[in-house]
Amino acid sequence: MRCAALKGASPRSRARRRCPIRCPIRCPIRCRLSPAPRSKGREATARALPADGVLVGGVAALALACAGGFQWELRNCEPAENGSYVTGKTGSPLSRLYCLGVPPIFLAVPFFARATFRAEVVTGKVWTFEQRQGIGLGLNTSVNVRMTLLRLEGGGLFVYNPIAPTRECLELVREVEDEIGERVECILLPTTTFEHKQFLRPFCEAFPRARVLVSPGQYSWPVNGLNAWKAGCARAEVLSDGDDEGVEGLPPGLEVRILDLPPVGLSTTVRFSEVALYHESSRVLLVCDAVMRLGTPPPSISRRDLEEWADDRNTAITGLRLLGLFGVREKWKERRGYSSNGASTSSPSTLTLGWQRMAMTSLYFGQADVLSPSASFEELASRKLVVPPVLGTLVYGPGGRDEDEVAAAVANWSESVAAWDFRTVIPAHFNVAEAGSADWRAAFEVWRGEESRAYPEEDVKCLGDVREFLVRSKIIFEPANRPKRL
């Protein structure tokens, strides 16, 4: 059929002329007002291509970022001090692979790979396993996190504070098992804090026959999920206070004291508890976050992180300088932006400065002198044991057992722990301490009401301001508005 509007027109004029009517039939010369209908499927495909391209591009970018992050973290596994640490025999990068089960925001590090360092504290009885743990996003503020392995009197091995079960970590544990001819019999999660309990379930899966114990008060926030009260491990048993002989069901030769605080903040669901454990045969006290020992050389911290923190031009110091915080801008000008790049990058003085800066930043968030923190560092390092400032300021509070039930709970717990006859204290972070009951009591004087201040006023000012803001925002509870535990 021909379009009636073009009847009688020459072929050339028909090619140039538009059809004046919207005829439903297709003109043989393809008039513009009656084009052939396009396939709906083809149109949908054409519209979908840009979205698919964005998706593919996003996935590719994420994959490249993950690959780059993995390679960067593998290069960041060298410790600042080798000491007597033992690492995995295979040396394969894949043996250090472990991806955190949280959204990939690169806030918690390492996100892709972490080395494990084993040390023997008491020959044939006590071993420690350390990994790196910290904050990324260019800050690279990291400390060590420590798991301890105890040999039980009745046979078998006891794990305190499980860490990321990388292939290297499990290999180092199996070596101890094979060496003494005994297996892991019990695993204890000694706290409710997320950075520790995130590794419980995957670690326990590697030891399916081991008994699992968790401190009381486990939760997930804002909503308690499945097995939240067991820290996500279905076969876990919640540790509870027993009679005067200690806690029910513990292996022989072990004693524990449980700190289970009243509601500290956020909600009544959020609880803070910690289990102190005494290993009688080795006279070793194990704690998680309650105390720490600050000293030199640093624990198994990344050498690269220390070198970066010694550089005045690193991300954290540059940010503080631009924001004009903690007097960094003025002091930076005085130092004229010292850079550690060059021959002195790995010198002992450079690593010492990097360790002091990073340790003080992780403990105070902003000490009196961010660029030259040696005075602040030495003040804490002079004590054999000290309650970490973040914990002491934001969780335990200002102290005074007669004024606050949290301080009273901390004081009573610390006194019960001091009754043990220990000679070595192994916390989950920083250094192992050769310390006894007197050193332990000295760390908790403020919460017993014997001292008015736990930390230097200028160093703890930033943390104090943070606490005041959280109290005003009703995120941290005060004695007057502290709710009762449900």
Side-chain angles (χ1 to χ4, degrees):
M1 297 178 65
R2 284 184 176 272
C3 178
L6 299 178
K7 186 176 181 181
S10 66
R12 179 173 296 181
S13 62
R14 277 185 293 188
R16 294 193 301 264
R17 190 182 302 178
R18 296 186 179 184
C19 182
I21 59 174
R22 298 180 180 271
C23 50
I25 60 174
R26 183 178 181 182
C27 292
I29 60 171
R30 301 177 183 177
C31 60
R32 297 180 185 181
L33 296 182
S34 58
R38 300 180 68 179
S39 167
K40 292 184 179 180
R42 189 175 298 173
E43 290 180 355
T45 302
R47 287 194 301 267
L49 281 176
D52 291 345
V54 171
L55 178 61
V56 172
V59 171
L62 180 61
L64 288 174
C66 291
F70 178 51
Q71 289 297 323
W72 190 92
E73 289 184 350
L74 283 179
R75 295 193 298 269
N76 207 21
C77 286
E78 180 188 359
E81 294 289 339
N82 291 323
S84 57
Y85 293 116
V86 177
T87 57
K89 293 181 179 179
T90 61
S92 169
L94 294 180
S95 68
R96 294 175 169 177
L97 176 63
Y98 188 88
C99 189
L100 289 179
V102 294
I105 57 176
F106 302 97
L107 179 60
V109 295
F111 191 86
F112 300 104
R114 59 189 69 209
T116 305
F117 304 93
R118 187 185 71 204
E120 192 168 18
V121 179
V122 179
T123 304
K125 291 185 177 181
V126 182
W127 299 262
T128 58
F129 301 75
E130 297 183 21
Q131 294 176 348
R132 176 173 167 261
Q133 175 180 285
I135 301 174
L137 294 177
L139 300 179
N140 291 334
T141 301
S142 59
V143 297
N144 60 322
V145 58
R146 180 182 291 112
M147 174 180 78
T148 305
L149 195 62
L150 303 173
R151 190 174 187 178
L152 299 172
E153 290 182 359
L157 295 168
F158 185 96
V159 175
Y160 181 92
N161 188 42
I163 56 177
T166 63
R167 200 170 74 194
E168 180 180 46
C169 174
L170 297 178
E171 176 187 317
L172 292 171
V173 174
R174 302 296 186 195
E175 287 178 3
V176 175
E177 289 183 323
D178 295 339
E179 180 182 342
I180 67 174
E182 299 174 7
R183 301 298 171 193
V184 171
E185 300 291 342
C186 191
I187 301 169
L188 169 62
L189 172 66
T191 184
T192 55
T193 55
F194 173 75
E195 64 268 23
H196 292 286
K197 67 183 177 183
Q198 63 178 325
F199 301 120
L200 176 67
R201 186 179 58 81
F203 189 92
C204 292
E205 289 174 354
F207 301 92
R209 296 184 180 180
R211 183 185 178 196
V212 182
L213 302 173
V214 298
S215 66
Q218 300 294 332
Y219 67 93
S220 61
W221 189 85
V223 178
N224 270 329
L226 182 65
N227 292 319
W229 62 289
K230 294 183 177 182
C233 182
R235 75 176 198 266
E237 305 169 45
V238 179
L239 212 55
S240 60
D241 286 313
D243 51 27
D244 293 338
E245 297 180 358
V247 174
E248 300 173 354
L250 278 176
L254 299 180
E255 298 180 48
V256 299
R257 297 289 183 268
I258 300 175
L259 172 64
D260 192 3
L261 293 178
V264 174
L266 206 58
S267 77
T268 54
T269 303
V270 177
R271 291 171 63 177
F272 181 90
S273 68
E274 177 160 346
V275 179
L277 184 143
Y278 177 54
H279 187 228
E280 186 176 4
S281 66
S282 64
R283 301 176 77 177
V284 166
L285 170 65
L286 303 182
V287 292
C288 191
D289 298 314
V291 296
M292 52 165 280
R293 168 74 174 119
L294 183 64
T296 52
S300 55
I301 298 294
S302 160
R303 173 182 291 271
R304 189 169 179 173
D305 283 354
L306 300 189
E307 292 170 352
E308 182 174 327
W309 263 101
D311 190 343
D312 286 1
R313 295 181 174 88
N314 72 35
T315 304
I317 292 177
T318 299
L320 294 176
R321 178 170 56 86
L322 294 176
L323 294 173
L325 298 176
F326 307 120
V328 171
R329 181 179 299 167
E330 294 74 15
K331 294 172 182 176
W332 187 89
K333 290 179 180 178
E334 294 175 4
R335 292 171 56 89
R336 295 184 180 180
Y338 169 76
S339 174
S340 67
N341 296 327
S344 62
T345 298
S346 297
S347 67
S349 60
T350 297
L351 296 180
T352 297
L353 176 62
W355 168 230
Q356 290 178 350
R357 285 179 174 180
M358 188 165 66
M360 291 298 95
T361 301
S362 67
L363 293 173
Y364 284 126
F365 294 175
Q367 62 278 6
D369 191 336
V370 173
L371 295 183
S372 302
S374 58
S376 303
F377 185 93
E378 293 300 330
E379 197 284 329
L380 288 185
S382 65
R383 316 183 204 180
K384 285 193 174 180
L385 294 175
V386 61
V387 175
V390 173
L391 180 70
T393 305
L394 302 183
V395 179
Y396 292 172
R401 66 192 307 172
D402 297 331
E403 304 173 2
D404 187 6
E405 57 183 325
V406 170
V410 172
N412 294 335
W413 176 74
S414 68
E415 289 177 357
S416 67
V417 171
W420 290 327
D421 186 23
F422 52 88
R423 292 291 179 268
T424 303
V425 178
I426 304 180
H429 304 288
F430 292 92
N431 299 73
V432 174
E434 296 301 322
S437 297
D439 305 306
W440 174 271
R441 289 180 185 275
F444 291 91
E445 287 178 342
V446 168
W447 293 276
R448 292 200 306 272
E450 299 173 7
E451 290 288 340
S452 60
R453 187 174 296 279
Y455 316 104
E457 185 174 0
E458 291 185 356
D459 288 329
V460 81
K461 184 180 184 305
C462 178
L463 276 177
D465 293 342
V466 171
R467 178 179 175 84
E468 288 182 9
F469 170 77
L470 295 177
V471 168
R472 289 197 305 269
S473 304
K474 301 188 184 303
I475 296 175
I476 288 181
F477 302 137
E478 288 278 79
N481 68 346
R482 192 182 311 282
K484 298 296 182 182
R485 181 181 296 165
L486 297 179

